[in-house]
Amino acid sequence: MVRRVAVVGAGSSGLACIKICVDEGLEPVCFESSDDIGGLWNFRETPEPERTSIYRSLVVNTSKEMMCFSDFPMPADYPNFMHNSQLLQYLRLYAEHFDLLRYINFQTTVRSVLQRPDFSLSGQWEVVTINKNGQEERHIFDAVLVCSGHYTHPTLPLSDFQGHETFSGRCLHSWEYKDADAFTGKRVVVVGIGNSGGDIAVEISRSAEKTFLSTRQGAWVMGRMSTNGVPLDIAVIKRINNVLFQLLPKTLVNWVAERALNNKYDHRLYGLKPKHRLMERKPIINDDLPGRILQGAIVMKHNLEGFKDSRVVFEDGTVEENIDAVVFCTGYIGKFPFLPSTLSEGPYEEVTLYKRVFPPSLHPPTLAVMGLFQAKGPIMPTVEMQARWAVKVFLGQSRLPPKEKMLDVIESERRRNMQSYPCPRQAVLQVDYIPYLDFMAGEVGVQPKLLRLFLRDPALWAKVFFGPCTPYQYRLSGPGNWSGARQAIFTQWERVAQPFRTREIPENTSKFGLCSPLMLTFTGTVIIVVLFSKDKIVPTLEAVTEMLNKSTVFLRELWFSLPQNPDM
Ligand SMILES: Cc1cc2nc3c(=O)[nH]c(=O)nc-3n(C[C@H](O)[C@H](O)[C@H](O)COP(=O)(O)OP(=O)(O)OC[C@H]3O[C@@H](n4cnc5c(N)ncnc54)[C@H](O)[C@@H]3O)c2cc1C
Ligand SMILES: *[C@@H]1O[C@H](CO)[C@@H](O)[C@H](O)[C@H]1NC(C)=O
Ligand SMILES: *[C@@H]1O[C@H](CO)[C@@H](O)[C@H](O)[C@H]1NC(C)=O
Ligand SMILES: *[C@@H]1O[C@H](CO)[C@@H](O)[C@H](O)[C@H]1NC(C)=O
Ligand SMILES: *[C@@H]1O[C@H](CO)[C@@H](O)[C@H](O)[C@H]1NC(C)=O
């Protein structure tokens, strides 16, 4: 019988795990090596070994309504994309509201997590910790939730580059980067175009003499803003879109989306274009990079090849002289030094996990790893759902398939993902946001029941199906339901709009003003005429009048059949 659960780490994942254990009547004991909560969102001036480290200016890339915990909406006045310090503030509110701090042992580092000799019967673990006075302690737990983060061990591939020992400038990893102060007036090469690489290159380019951004593969770059300035994720992550993506041919979806994106800035012209299609991988989120390229402050370069004194050589043979610093934004390797090495049983020596949560060889399944995945969506609500599932499995209320089946699933998912991510270690990490959440919600018994909603509460159904897939959807029914969930869904657009209301402008006339049916008709007609004339069928005057008439009728009908509520 599972009762005491160890939670390793008190970042956003650890906090969610503590809360969910308490909800389920378990006794969580959290160990946090630092002196505070928040993990990577707790900005520190100097990076600390084995811990995540962020730069001062970091702003989230997922919007507040999408990334909050499912039963704790963010305050309405928070900006949609907040600075890291404000996210920490939210985590403090969460911890305070659910009274989580009393379960945390600060300045206590987990050194090892070992199976007890009678593990196959008891499922128990021995957790060895070291406190701030260097004292070692041993504890027995019925289950373990690993929330130690995975942006902890930077990969710095220096030795891959010939002549690196001759380089006279400074080499650093983005893990060490805090701000651009040290780069004023310098000539800097940034290597790697992930989210960090893009942010850091943009920031350095504002004070450096010249900034070069070197990339092996290129990337699709999207801003945080969608049409009308609505947050990108809230506009895209919808159940209806998920259905459409599955029905429509992938090439068509890619073609349309790439075209729309290239209309803003042509990725080929800007030296950004990758080999892969837009929907195949996560695009990078950056509002300023194209602008900095346009202004010549950032110069795009091919992959880095090597160094020669103060010169940097790129794979296309070009050389940049007098380089003062190279910032490697080359990512991290997920390591869990305290876990038994037997859990790294996959063919690529990574921690092998069924559905990114459970090591398949553990029986009984009393250990779960949180947050070790990549998605085109927010991490926090996904981890929250992982924790809800993990706790159900610990309690025997949800069952895992046999080991062989789990290994098969892991490999088939890896193979599927390798169509877009050729690196097998990367491929295995990828999950599809809504289907992944829905799978776990199904196991927990909290999957929104669309048919029932449609019949009983059509207004809510419309929001759930056509609106953004906000985390509140997983608190509507079933175990752990929250009475505020429906209300939170109905007020989500209010909270999106609230931070903008600092200079209110009275709304006037008809909401859509002149641009309504009349304008639409006009545009529609122009499009039709243009299409026809392309086909060399020069329309006669009557034809035009007729088309105008037809399109008026059609568009008027279409217009009135559309939901008039922008909340959809
Ligand atoms: C630069 C950057 C930007 C990001 N931006 C976003 C974003 O906008 N939106 C989003 O959804 N996600 C984002 N992420 C992903 C982010 O990792 C997750 O959102 C989430 O914050 C991870 O939280 P965590 O608790 O799992 O890990 P962490 O925040 O890393 O917390 C781990 C905690 O465990 C502690 N710990 C580690 N080892 C031990 C040990 N042995 N014993 C005791 N304690 C230990 C650490 O001290 C730390 O407090 C970003 C990540 C990075 C690196
Ligand atoms: C946000 O940035 C982090 C850190 O680079 C990245 O891991 C995550 O995938 C990004 N999220 C989205 C939705 O792009
Ligand atoms: C909400 O949870 C309670 C307790 O678990 C349960 O009795 C109730 O049926 C749930 N409500 C809904 C709508 O699922
Ligand atoms: C302008 O908007 C206000 C508030 O919505 C409304 O009361 C008023 O009637 C509007 N004026 C006109 C001319 O439509
Ligand atoms: C449009 O067509 C309908 C019938 O098809 C006709 O009754 C109507 O008069 C036409 N309107 C105009 C503006 O031509």
Side-chain angles (χ1 to χ4, degrees):
M1 187 56 198
V2 173
R3 204 170 52 85
R4 271 165 57 84
V5 180
V7 176
V8 186
S12 60
S13 305
L15 292 173
C17 285
I18 300 172
K19 194 245 170 205
I20 282 152
C21 285
V22 175
D23 282 354
E24 294 291 328
L26 297 171
E27 222 178 89
V29 178
C30 175
F31 302 106
E32 165 56 52
S33 57
S34 76
D35 57 1
D36 200 357
I37 61 165
L40 86 101
W41 300 108
N42 198 322
F43 174 81
R44 315 265 164 154
E45 294 289 339
T46 42
E48 293 159 29
E50 310 224 331
R51 220 174 268 146
T52 328
S53 156
I54 54 171
Y55 32 99
R56 197 187 307 281
S57 63
L58 177 68
V59 167
V60 300
N61 56 14
T62 47
S63 74
K64 68 169 179 179
E65 284 304 304
M66 300 302 295
M67 78 182 299
C68 63
F69 292 119
S70 57
D71 53 1
F72 196 67
M74 292 207 186
D77 62 330
Y78 273 34
N80 286 281
F81 290 99
M82 70 206 76
H83 184 249
N84 61 73
S85 56
Q86 202 155 15
L87 185 54
L88 178 63
Q89 197 55 45
Y90 169 74
L91 295 175
R92 290 201 196 289
L93 292 175
Y94 183 73
E96 197 177 304
H97 185 260
F98 294 109
D99 195 13
L100 306 177
L101 292 182
R102 61 204 189 97
Y103 302 99
I104 306 173
N105 298 288
F106 289 106
Q107 293 181 299
T108 310
T109 304
V110 171
R111 269 296 134 84
S112 65
V113 172
L114 298 165
Q115 282 158 273
R116 300 252 296 157
D118 63 347
F119 182 81
S120 56
L121 291 174
S122 69
Q124 286 185 326
W125 297 86
E126 181 178 85
V127 174
V128 181
T129 60
I130 292 196
N131 70 11
K132 59 174 177 285
N133 306 320
Q135 280 163 337
E136 196 175 281
E137 279 186 81
R138 286 163 190 274
H139 319 253
I140 309 286
F141 284 101
D142 301 315
V144 178
L145 288 162
V146 178
C147 307
S148 55
H150 61 111
Y151 296 104
T152 42
H153 295 77
T155 42
L156 220 174
L158 262 190
S159 51
D160 291 0
F161 304 110
Q162 18 170 305
H164 70 271
E165 60 293 334
T166 72
F167 182 55
S168 54
R170 178 179 173 210
C171 282
L172 66 157
H173 189 275
S174 57
W175 180 78
E176 293 169 69
Y177 175 89
K178 292 291 162 185
D179 55 39
D181 289 355
F183 303 98
T184 308
K186 298 278 162 67
R187 290 168 61 79
V188 185
V189 174
V190 176
V191 180
I193 192 173
N195 283 295
S196 305
D199 280 351
I200 291 173
V202 165
E203 186 166 82
I204 288 180
S205 78
R206 298 199 193 278
S207 52
E209 184 199 309
K210 205 74 168 173
T211 307
F212 302 93
L213 179 51
S214 156
T215 165
R216 190 169 41 191
Q217 293 169 334
W220 294 102
V221 181
M222 293 178 109
R224 287 177 172 78
M225 243 187 232
S226 177
T227 330
N228 293 325
V230 167
L232 177 70
D233 54 355
I234 214 168
V236 173
I237 303 178
K238 297 179 172 182
R239 290 182 184 277
I240 169 79
N241 288 351
N242 216 43
V243 172
L244 288 178
F245 286 148
Q246 266 154 29
L247 292 180
L248 296 171
K250 298 265 177 302
T251 23
L252 178 73
V253 177
N254 276 313
W255 184 81
V256 172
E258 284 169 14
R259 234 180 112 87
L261 193 52
N262 279 330
N263 275 343
K264 289 196 205 155
Y265 34 87
D266 184 339
H267 279 64
R268 183 188 301 281
L269 182 67
Y270 276 55
L272 290 166
K273 191 169 188 290
K275 281 211 184 76
H276 62 264
R277 307 298 306 266
L278 176 54
M279 296 296 175
E280 281 176 4
R281 298 195 200 171
K282 240 175 15 183
I284 75 161
I285 308 283
N286 197 304
D287 300 302
D288 305 322
L289 181 58
R292 301 304 289 161
I293 298 174
L294 185 63
Q295 295 166 31
I298 291 181
V299 177
M300 294 303 299
K301 300 295 285 183
H302 276 290
N303 196 20
L304 187 68
E305 188 175 72
F307 299 89
K308 222 180 240 171
D309 310 323
S310 70
R311 272 170 289 173
V312 170
V313 185
F314 298 91
E315 272 183 1
D316 59 350
T318 56
V319 177
E320 294 300 339
E321 312 264 347
N322 300 322
I323 298 299
D324 299 294
V326 179
V327 188
F328 286 89
C329 304
T330 38
Y332 296 87
I333 176 156
K335 275 194 193 161
F336 301 90
F338 50 85
L339 287 185
S341 58
T342 49
L343 299 185
S344 304
E345 58 194 313
Y348 303 93
E349 291 173 11
E350 80 270 344
V351 182
T352 311
L353 297 170
Y354 172 65
K355 294 287 175 187
R356 308 307 315 141
V357 176
F358 292 100
S361 61
L362 280 184
H363 196 82
T366 51
L367 180 140
V369 178
M370 300 288 109
L372 187 54
F373 63 91
Q374 295 277 339
K376 287 183 195 165
I379 304 298
M380 281 163 39
T382 318
V383 169
E384 188 192 15
M385 186 60 81
Q386 287 185 324
R388 290 173 82 182
W389 180 35
V391 166
K392 289 281 174 210
V393 170
F394 293 165
L395 290 170
Q397 294 166 6
S398 167
R399 295 205 180 278
L400 299 181
K403 177 180 172 185
E404 294 311 317
K405 177 84 199 302
M406 290 196 271
L407 288 170
D408 280 353
V409 171
I410 295 170
E411 282 318 308
S412 73
E413 287 177 349
R414 188 202 303 271
R415 247 176 285 126
R416 196 200 60 193
N417 292 339
M418 279 181 71
Q419 293 165 4
S420 351
Y421 291 83
C423 167
R425 295 181 64 123
Q426 278 293 318
V428 84
L429 295 176
Q430 311 301 321
V431 297
D432 293 329
Y433 185 69
I434 296 180
Y436 183 54
L437 279 175
D438 279 354
F439 165 79
M440 292 187 287
E443 298 296 309
V444 180
V446 295
Q447 161 81 340
K449 295 186 183 62
L450 288 176
L451 185 62
R452 194 189 301 168
L453 275 186
F454 178 72
L455 298 172
R456 291 217 187 138
D457 192 347
L460 180 61
W461 170 81
K463 302 253 176 222
V464 169
F465 188 67
F466 294 108
C469 186
T470 42
Y472 323 119
Q473 295 194 0
Y474 298 105
R475 292 280 179 186
L476 286 170
S477 61
N481 61 65
W482 170 46
S483 56
R486 185 176 187 276
Q487 179 65 12
I489 292 174
F490 274 87
T491 51
Q492 58 200 9
W493 284 98
E494 272 298 300
R495 286 186 300 278
V496 171
Q498 185 60 35
F500 295 106
R501 298 206 174 114
T502 51
R503 177 173 172 263
E504 287 229 60
I505 298 163
E507 208 177 310
N508 242 319
T509 58
S510 129
K511 207 168 200 169
F512 303 98
L514 266 182
C515 77
S516 45
L518 208 69
M519 277 305 278
L520 270 180
T521 311
F522 180 72
T523 331
T525 314
V526 170
I527 292 171
I528 292 169
V529 170
V530 168
L531 281 180
F532 268 79
S533 49
K534 265 200 174 154
D535 288 347
K536 301 260 173 353
I537 304 170
V538 183
T540 60
L541 194 62
E542 297 103 89
V544 173
T545 332
E546 171 136 10
M547 261 187 293
L548 194 66
N549 185 354
K550 285 226 174 91
S551 53
T552 318
V553 175
F554 172 71
L555 284 167
R556 192 187 300 137
E557 271 167 19
L558 182 71
W559 183 254
F560 287 111
S561 70
L562 278 179
Q564 298 290 302
N565 187 343
D567 283 12
M568 297 297 232

